[in-house]
Amino acid sequence: MSLKYAYPSVLDAFATALELLDTFVTMSRSLDSRHNRMVSDMLGHAKSLASDAAAVALDEEQPRRAVELLEQGRGILLAQLAQYRTALDDLQAVSPEMAAEFTDLSAQLEQSVSVGDVDGVNVKLELGVLRPDAVGSHQGLSMRWKDIVNRIRELSGFTTFLQPTPFHLLAHAASEGPVIIINVSAIRSDAIILQKGVEADVVKLPDATPAVVERMSSLMEAALGVPGSSECENGIKLVLGLLWESIVQFIVKRLEERGLPRNSRIWWCPTSALCLLPLHAAGIYQPDQPNLPDMFISSYTRTLSTLIRARTLEPHSATRPSILAIGVPRPDGDDGTDVPLEFVGEELDILMKRVPGTELLEDSAASHDAVVERLPTRPWVHIACHGHQDITRPFQSRFRLQDKPLTLQEVISMKLPDAEFAFLSACHTATGDRNTPDEGLHLAAAMQFAGYRSVVGTLWAMDDVDGPDVADSFYKFLFHKKKDGKAGDYKEAAKGVSRFTKMLRSRKDAREVPFERWVNFIHVGA
């Protein structure tokens, strides 16, 4: 109503709608049922809510408000869980009792959410009234948790506790390089460039309509449906050109006008179906034509808050971090759908040569329980196995370990405060969910949520044959000794990805690598 008649309260109405959306989703107990709510017909119209809110804010020349609304309305499912892990140092100093109560209720709620639907309890609405079977321990915990949050907000200095993050804090995401938010809406589409010490800069993208982005997504899906073919190669190249012409070239022009040096790092924060597309590889790929990978080093972030959290870790004190290497070429109980990974052994041999002292879990040693036990003991992990994305139940996406899978839901239940870097040398580890692309529900995001500040993943299937060369190039670069004697900085991972993708691109012999085998690698996080 407010949008239709352009009432002055339109942005407040959007903010309220986003709060109600968050509340409605949390009424479901399990992560799977919360996701189902987001893809249901009831919420179909809400999928573009945050992007439309941001577009209206930009129409009113309020880019800061646009950033706040996007942050509030995207990545809801993992953001809800992140609230249960809020740091409480300041509250502990003011009211230890409230801090203890909040911590206890948060732990109970997180456990309640993580266990899923095993007891069949779920929230359902009939004629706007909660059914009796929906009223259970989870609902009671939720009410008590909201009550303690409201009481904390009554304390002096805590009025913004767990409130939507204001722009002046979100702007810290650009502390180490530009963050480019790309908002796609039927109202208008724009890029919002955040840079340290500079006001938010808006770049209009009139050609990046939802229909155009959906078409690019469909073209990419069709190309990947025929891997190894000329149709795949030409289809990917077409999409990369369209991304450049409709979106990326205008952003690059603005960055260059602002004096950003070549080979600087940039972070992409896309919205809607654009989350499924390889912005980092946009380009024409013809002689003397521009290609983004030759200009800047790209990373991705689901939200600004996610990137800010990824930078909260102090540098590792050791001269080089220790690595846990996990390799599963042939999992037990294989039903024949997974081709044996013939090059995993070679890939891990190269890793251990480049980084002596790496702990290896391979074949039968790489059991589910062993991996879960050893992950907290090493700040870095390299996982070479089959990866599977579950399209209908993304929280059941998984790594195929030797005896049984390690699921996305299990990963996000972990708390790994000392974790730094994860290399996910497996298929589909950074593949978004087409039904809810703004949620960013994939294995790379789960690893970051668990504590890994920097993650390398894949947008689609990875060719096993590239594993050894990729590992050799990547770890050779990251573990070369610096003047201070240290090696292995997780913040150099994006540069490592840039180096090995250029290595793959440069092959002109019989081992020439097609687009599908290098474009799929991305870096996420710090």
Side-chain angles (χ1 to χ4, degrees):
M1 179 70 75
S2 293
L3 179 60
K4 182 177 180 180
Y5 294 103
Y7 291 158
S9 62
V10 61
L11 293 181
D12 291 336
F14 268 118
T16 300
L18 291 171
E19 289 179 11
L20 292 173
L21 173 63
D22 183 85
T23 299
F24 182 76
V25 172
T26 57
M27 289 173 68
S28 289
R29 171 178 176 175
S30 77
L31 295 174
D32 282 336
S33 57
R34 290 183 181 187
H35 177 261
N36 288 339
R37 282 200 160 214
M38 298 198 74
V39 302
S40 66
D41 292 338
M42 184 179 293
L43 289 185
H45 65 282
K47 292 178 182 178
S48 65
L49 186 60
S51 290
D52 290 343
V56 171
L58 291 173
D59 252 356
E60 297 189 5
E61 299 184 349
Q62 297 187 48
R64 291 186 171 207
R65 189 73 174 117
V67 171
E68 292 173 343
L69 289 166
L70 282 172
E71 191 73 10
Q72 182 182 352
R74 299 178 63 253
I76 292 175
L77 295 175
L78 292 184
Q80 291 168 345
L81 293 182
Q83 289 184 326
Y84 302 147
R85 302 184 180 186
T86 302
L88 300 174
D89 294 346
D90 292 341
L91 180 61
Q92 182 68 34
V94 174
S95 177
E97 297 81 8
M98 283 191 177
E101 184 177 353
F102 177 85
T103 300
D104 179 59
L105 289 171
S106 294
Q108 292 185 59
L109 265 177
E110 184 173 4
Q111 176 62 27
S112 172
V113 170
S114 297
V115 298
D117 277 327
V118 293
D119 58 1
V121 176
N122 196 1
V123 175
K124 297 181 181 178
L125 287 173
E126 288 187 354
L127 301 178
V129 181
L130 284 175
R131 281 174 36 180
D133 65 346
V135 183
S137 60
H138 177 76
Q139 297 304 308
L141 284 171
S142 294
M143 293 175 65
R144 290 168 59 196
W145 185 83
K146 291 177 181 177
D147 176 68
I148 184 61
V149 168
N150 289 331
R151 285 189 284 128
I152 291 171
R153 289 173 181 168
E154 293 173 357
L155 297 174
S156 176
F158 289 87
T159 55
T160 61
F161 182 74
L162 293 187
Q163 296 277 26
T165 309
F167 177 83
H168 74 274
L169 295 179
L170 295 174
H172 291 314
S175 63
E176 297 181 16
V179 177
I180 303 116
I181 304 167
I182 306 181
N183 189 56
V184 178
S185 167
I187 300 169
R188 56 180 285 174
S189 295
D190 306 83
I192 307 173
I193 302 176
L194 305 182
Q195 280 185 278
K196 185 177 181 180
V198 181
E199 188 59 46
D201 193 5
V202 178
V203 179
K204 293 182 179 180
L205 302 172
D207 295 331
T209 64
V212 168
V213 173
E214 285 290 347
R215 176 173 176 266
M216 288 191 284
S217 180
S218 296
L219 287 170
M220 180 63 74
E221 187 175 8
L224 296 175
V226 283
S229 67
S230 59
E231 290 87 348
C232 180
E233 184 79 349
N234 294 333
I236 293 176
K237 189 175 179 181
L238 173 62
V239 171
L240 297 181
L242 291 172
L243 286 169
W244 176 264
E245 292 172 347
S246 61
I247 297 173
V248 176
Q249 66 166 322
F250 305 108
I251 296 166
V252 167
K253 180 181 178 182
R254 185 64 57 86
L255 292 173
E256 291 180 333
E257 290 173 350
R258 284 188 163 196
L260 186 69
R262 286 291 179 97
N263 295 317
S264 295
R265 289 192 63 186
I266 59 176
W267 279 262
W268 296 100
C269 184
T271 67
S272 72
L274 205 55
C275 298
L276 309 174
L277 294 171
L279 285 162
H280 65 284
I284 304 301
Y285 295 96
Q286 294 291 341
D288 302 320
Q289 292 294 313
N291 304 310
L292 182 63
D294 301 322
M295 300 175 177
F296 300 112
I297 298 170
S298 292
S299 297
Y300 288 87
T301 184
R302 290 186 306 111
T303 63
L304 301 182
S305 298
T306 301
L307 182 56
I308 293 169
R309 283 195 300 270
R311 293 176 176 149
T312 59
L313 182 70
E314 292 297 320
H316 203 275
S317 59
T319 56
R320 63 168 56 207
S322 58
I323 301 178
L324 175 66
I326 300 165
V328 184
R330 294 175 179 81
D332 295 339
D334 192 349
D335 59 5
T337 59
D338 287 327
V339 177
L341 302 175
E342 299 179 6
F343 293 91
V344 164
E346 183 180 347
E347 178 180 340
L348 298 184
D349 286 344
I350 289 173
L351 166 57
M352 297 184 72
K353 178 182 177 181
R354 290 293 181 192
V355 191
T358 294
E359 178 183 354
L360 178 63
L361 295 178
E362 190 175 16
D363 298 323
S364 61
S367 67
H368 173 279
D369 292 350
V371 168
V372 171
E373 178 185 352
R374 298 305 300 165
L375 277 176
T377 67
R378 304 272 181 154
W380 286 36
V381 65
H382 183 103
I383 304 177
C385 67
H386 283 291
H388 287 280
Q389 180 201 29
D390 192 315
I391 297 174
T392 58
R393 301 181 67 194
F395 287 100
Q396 303 309 312
S397 298
R398 57 205 176 274
F399 297 107
R400 284 291 305 274
L401 300 181
Q402 191 63 43
D403 54 346
K404 63 179 181 178
L406 177 65
T407 67
L408 187 154
Q409 183 161 317
E410 289 180 287
V411 173
I412 62 174
S413 71
M414 298 178 182
K415 296 179 181 179
L416 306 172
D418 297 323
E420 291 183 350
F421 172 73
F423 196 120
L424 310 182
S425 184
C427 298
H428 306 290
T429 55
T431 306
D433 170 23
R434 192 174 181 85
N435 292 318
T436 54
D438 281 316
E439 289 303 302
L441 297 176
H442 47 66
L443 291 165
M447 296 294 283
Q448 195 174 25
F449 185 86
Y452 292 94
R453 273 65 179 175
S454 175
V455 182
V456 174
T458 53
L459 290 176
W460 52 77
M462 171 188 170
D463 196 321
D464 177 42
V465 71
D466 294 322
D469 289 338
V470 165
D472 189 44
S473 172
F474 184 80
Y475 289 104
K476 179 182 179 180
F477 170 71
L478 259 71
F479 282 85
H480 69 278
K481 283 190 177 181
K482 300 179 180 179
K483 293 181 180 180
D484 58 6
K486 290 189 176 183
D489 183 352
Y490 68 91
K491 290 189 176 183
E492 296 286 301
K495 294 180 182 178
V497 174
S498 176
R499 287 176 70 93
F500 76 64
T501 53
K502 287 179 179 178
M503 175 270 295
L504 292 173
R505 286 173 58 196
S506 67
R507 287 183 181 164
K508 300 300 180 184
D509 55 16
R511 298 192 302 162
E512 185 171 349
V513 176
F515 280 92
E516 66 178 295
R517 282 172 46 193
W518 67 265
V519 174
N520 64 332
F521 290 101
I522 67 167
H523 175 262
V524 178

